[in-house]
Amino acid sequence: MSIFTGSAVALVTPFINNQVDYKALEKLIQWHLEAKTDAIVVCGTTGESCTLSKDEKKDVIAFTIKKVSGRVPVIAGTGGNNTQEAIEMSLFAEGIGADALLLVTPYYNKTTQRGLVAHYFAIADQVNIPIILYNVPSRTGLNIQPETVKELAAHKNIVAIKEASGDLSQIAKIARLCPAGFDIYSGNDDQILPVLSLGGAGVISVVANILPDETHQICELYFNGMTNAATKLQLDMLDIINALFIETNPIPVKAALEIMGKINGELRLPLIPISDSNRELLIESIKKFNQSMGVSA
């Protein structure tokens, strides 16, 4: 059984005065629940997990689980390049009620494909909740090869992959090699439809932070056989998706949420606020999308 089908938001972590802004986080969670987001991912890349302390990660995960209260799955980002620490964080998340784990490949120290198997099995052997592999070689410098995904999928707790390689041929090979029931989630918002067409179960999304209902709709339309409408919505969202990556994620998406009045847009170093020129481009892309949808800016 899938952890979720449809759109999971890779949720930002709002800050105020360099502390987690829990009031803003609670409002974001409530908004997503109302806007049909199918699952919530916390402490991922978009959540600036790299600059959250261990205690902050635990607090954000626990807070989100409490506020969601079982209404949609909560997926905790507990991966890293320190296997023992990833095990500890994964056990913590399981212990407080996370529905699943998102485990990025080890970065910087990297490893071999055999090392990836050993790393993921070491974590999977210690927990009893589902694991989503997270393949994002542009950030980690390490690609999970399809044959390695097949080997990992043999573990009862490793049930899905967030594929952000951008390589549709690789994703197709994963779909061919892995057993039925192993889910593939798009990790790139401009490839939701192509991944769904290869049998994907949905997306773990950045754009869902600002367009939760629309991102959900792409998947729902496709699953209901309305492929033309799903394709149109994917293409209508393309400019705003591209604008959200005009600088390093999550710089633009936090700026967009600030423009929308949802958060104050604060980031943690080494990330810095979006440039004035790119902010204007982002504002323009939001206006154009709203106009195309018949929404007043």
Side-chain angles (χ1 to χ4, degrees):
M1 182 177 176
S2 298
I3 298 165
F4 74 95
T5 56
S7 169
V9 61
L11 195 64
V12 301
T13 304
F15 297 120
I16 187 165
N17 299 323
N18 204 36
Q19 302 296 315
V20 177
D21 185 348
Y22 285 101
K23 287 184 179 179
L25 180 57
E26 182 172 6
K27 289 179 181 178
L28 288 177
I29 291 167
Q30 187 58 40
W31 181 44
H32 281 287
L33 293 172
E34 293 169 358
K36 300 180 182 178
T37 292
D38 299 291
I40 294 176
V41 177
V42 289
C43 297
T45 304
T46 309
E48 293 175 82
S49 58
C50 286
T51 48
L52 292 174
S53 70
K54 188 184 294 186
D55 286 343
E56 285 176 326
K57 289 177 187 176
K58 289 180 176 180
D59 289 345
V60 168
I61 294 167
F63 182 88
T64 303
I65 291 169
K66 181 179 179 181
K67 294 301 176 182
V68 170
S69 189
R71 286 173 284 181
V72 298
V74 175
I75 301 162
T78 56
N81 64 344
N82 179 330
T83 305
Q84 187 55 45
E85 187 172 298
I87 291 170
E88 292 170 9
M89 285 299 299
S90 298
L91 287 169
F92 169 81
E94 178 183 14
I96 59 166
D99 296 285
L101 308 171
L102 180 67
L103 300 179
V104 70
T105 57
Y107 42 83
Y108 190 70
N109 52 3
K110 300 163 68 175
T111 187
T112 63
Q113 295 296 302
R114 288 192 305 115
L116 277 175
V117 173
H119 168 79
Y120 279 119
F121 278 8
I123 302 168
D125 285 345
Q126 295 295 315
V127 298
N128 292 295
I129 56 174
I131 288 169
I132 304 173
L133 309 172
Y134 180 14
N135 191 38
V136 57
S138 64
R139 283 186 180 265
T140 64
L142 179 62
N143 183 48
I144 312 179
Q145 297 292 339
E147 293 79 7
T148 304
V149 179
K150 177 186 177 183
E151 189 172 352
L152 289 167
H155 196 292
K156 65 181 178 64
N157 292 332
I158 299 176
V159 302
I161 187 168
K162 175 186 177 183
E163 240 297 341
S165 67
D167 185 342
L168 289 172
S169 295
Q170 172 166 298
I171 295 169
K173 191 171 184 180
I174 291 170
R176 180 172 63 83
L177 289 176
C178 289
F182 184 84
D183 285 327
I184 300 172
Y185 297 108
S186 176
N188 293 319
D189 288 322
D190 60 350
Q191 294 183 340
I192 301 172
L193 252 294
V195 172
L196 293 180
S197 75
L198 291 169
V203 60
I204 297 177
S205 171
V206 175
V207 73
N209 277 281
I210 63 169
L211 298 175
D213 188 54
E214 291 85 350
T215 311
H216 165 84
Q217 281 183 45
I218 290 177
C219 300
E220 185 174 59
L221 288 166
Y222 182 86
F223 293 143
N224 288 334
M226 302 171 70
T227 53
N228 288 341
T231 300
K232 182 180 185 303
L233 186 52
Q234 170 83 86
L235 296 177
D236 285 344
M237 289 170 61
L238 197 56
D239 284 347
I240 201 165
I241 288 168
N242 290 337
L244 290 182
F245 293 89
I246 199 167
E247 292 185 21
T248 303
N249 179 50
I251 294 171
V253 74
K254 276 197 153 181
L257 285 165
E258 182 176 60
I259 291 162
M260 296 167 66
K262 299 289 186 184
I263 63 173
N264 70 9
E266 184 176 326
L267 298 140
R268 278 189 175 167
L269 288 170
L271 301 183
I272 60 172
I274 196 168
S275 69
D276 290 343
S277 59
N278 283 339
R279 185 181 180 88
E280 289 305 312
L281 288 171
L282 187 58
I283 290 170
E284 189 61 27
S285 72
I286 293 170
K287 284 181 179 178
K288 285 183 177 179
F289 179 77
N290 286 338
Q291 288 168 359
S292 73
M293 295 290 108
V295 178
S296 57

